[in-house]
Amino acid sequence: MRRPRIDLHTHSTASDGTESPAQLVRTAAETGLDTIALTDHDSIGGWAEARAAGEREGVAVVPGAELSCVAGGISLHLLAYLFDPEAPALRAELERNRDARTPRAREMVRRLAAAGHPISWEDVTAQLGPGATVGRPHIADALVAAGVVPTRNAAFAHLLHADSPFHVGRYATDPADAVRMVRAAGGVTVFAHPAAVLRGRTVPFDVIAELADAGLDGIEVDHRDHDADARTRLRAFAASRGLLVTGASDYHGDGRENRLGEHTTDPDVFAELTARAERAAALS
Ligand code: AMP
Ligand code: ZN
Ligand code: FE
Ligand code: FE
């Protein structure tokens, strides 16, 4: 039998992807994927539509989210899967992260406009999908629409980069708390692109080790932001700490070059994640 193709990191218009949840699932079917996880930033807003589309298209949809976290002033992303969306603590925390996004994005727009880059808050909201969590990619889209930069990538290179004077920080969850909250909600966690150095500072491995002690299940190794050397080091680290290793595309539709299914997760690893979530749910 053909090995199932599993992509555990994708974004829809419920955050900063450019395809609706249903379109994303259709793209997955066209790409020949068997399973995708929908992991919008701090949001579960796309779950229902993606699940319904998955039933029509014959694609298994894993419910998930990519949680914004910060540790020692360094931002990081935690993929969470298969958790109960009604679990009160986690639900409140997702909301808290979403609520922090709007004032922060508004302040970034204010700084950009004050420096002569002609965009307004309305230009940014015009770029948001229904119910979307706002982020820098939407500011990038507004800058592209205003003719300031040619692409999202160009906007991130300078104006929106973490080191830019226009960049503003915001509240994000403590990652060890996030790991415990997701576990308590019957889910599992995987550290997203832990060595994506081009995006800004990354946390040292001893922070990941502390998260492993808190119950982190795995780390995302096969991701386009990791070069061969980073993958080798991450694999060795995962082996030393007993962490599962995943691979995924981090697809954002046309918003980034990442192609759906460009990296995938071993079916045995996915089965282990699912089994752990079942055990966590039974205890929660
Ligand atoms: P935010 O959460 O508002 O700080 O925005 C971060 C998001 O921007 C990440 O989730 C990425 O998906 C996206 N991003 C980061 N770098 C780039 C880039 N070079 N081009 C397009 N999107 C990017
Ligand atoms: Zn994103
Ligand atoms: Fe991410
Ligand atoms: Fe992502």
Side-chain angles (χ1 to χ4, degrees):
M1 206 185 85
R2 189 179 67 83
R3 281 168 70 77
R5 293 184 66 220
I6 303 166
D7 186 339
L8 293 181
H9 187 165
T10 73
H11 297 268
S12 76
T13 48
S15 62
D16 55 358
T18 60
E19 293 178 0
S20 68
Q23 180 58 51
L24 169 67
V25 170
R26 282 194 292 275
T27 306
E30 286 160 14
T31 311
L33 286 166
D34 301 276
T35 301
I36 62 165
L38 179 64
T39 53
D40 280 305
H41 300 286
D42 300 317
S43 176
I44 61 160
W47 282 15
E49 184 182 319
R51 202 177 261 142
E55 278 165 26
R56 285 196 301 275
E57 301 289 337
V59 174
V61 174
V62 180
E66 186 172 11
L67 307 188
S68 305
C69 296
V70 64
I74 301 175
S75 126
L76 63 102
H77 291 168
L78 206 61
L79 294 161
Y81 303 112
L82 299 161
F83 55 87
D84 174 5
E86 305 293 338
L90 180 56
R91 196 190 159 108
E93 191 57 29
L94 287 169
E95 198 172 319
R96 189 170 177 194
N97 276 343
R98 285 199 301 275
D99 286 349
R101 288 174 164 272
T102 302
R104 176 266 197 154
R106 289 187 84 117
E107 175 59 15
M108 287 187 67
V109 169
R110 195 195 63 73
R111 291 187 189 185
L112 285 160
H117 301 294
I119 59 161
S120 66
W121 180 241
E122 287 66 38
D123 294 336
V124 174
T125 56
Q127 302 295 335
L128 291 178
T133 49
V134 66
R136 280 181 287 162
H138 305 105
I139 305 176
D141 292 345
L143 289 164
V144 172
V148 176
V149 287
T151 59
R152 265 190 186 182
N153 242 333
F156 272 92
H158 299 290
L159 296 176
L160 302 180
H161 195 273
D163 299 331
S164 154
F166 306 115
H167 187 269
V168 175
R170 64 178 152 84
Y171 172 80
T173 309
D174 174 86
D177 287 346
V179 164
R180 287 187 285 261
M181 266 184 243
V182 172
R183 168 71 58 94
V188 291
T189 48
V190 171
F191 197 129
H193 46 71
V197 287
L198 288 177
R199 299 194 187 189
R201 286 190 301 156
T202 56
V203 297
F205 278 11
D206 54 345
V207 171
I208 310 179
E210 285 168 22
L211 296 179
D213 293 339
L216 179 74
D217 293 286
I219 60 176
E220 191 179 52
V221 173
D222 290 313
H223 183 288
R224 73 155 58 204
D225 291 1
H226 295 156
D227 62 20
D229 178 55
R231 292 182 203 192
T232 303
R233 285 183 294 114
L234 286 167
R235 259 183 239 288
F237 175 76
S240 76
R241 301 296 309 206
L243 290 161
L244 299 171
V245 164
T246 69
S249 66
D250 204 354
Y251 182 65
H252 281 71
D254 294 336
R256 298 180 67 179
E257 286 165 11
N258 311 31
R259 290 303 94 198
L260 205 55
E262 67 179 22
H263 295 293
T264 54
T265 292
D266 187 306
D268 295 334
V269 170
F270 177 60
E272 175 62 19
L273 285 170
T274 310
R276 289 190 190 188
E278 276 165 17
R279 286 202 292 276
L283 291 172
S284 70

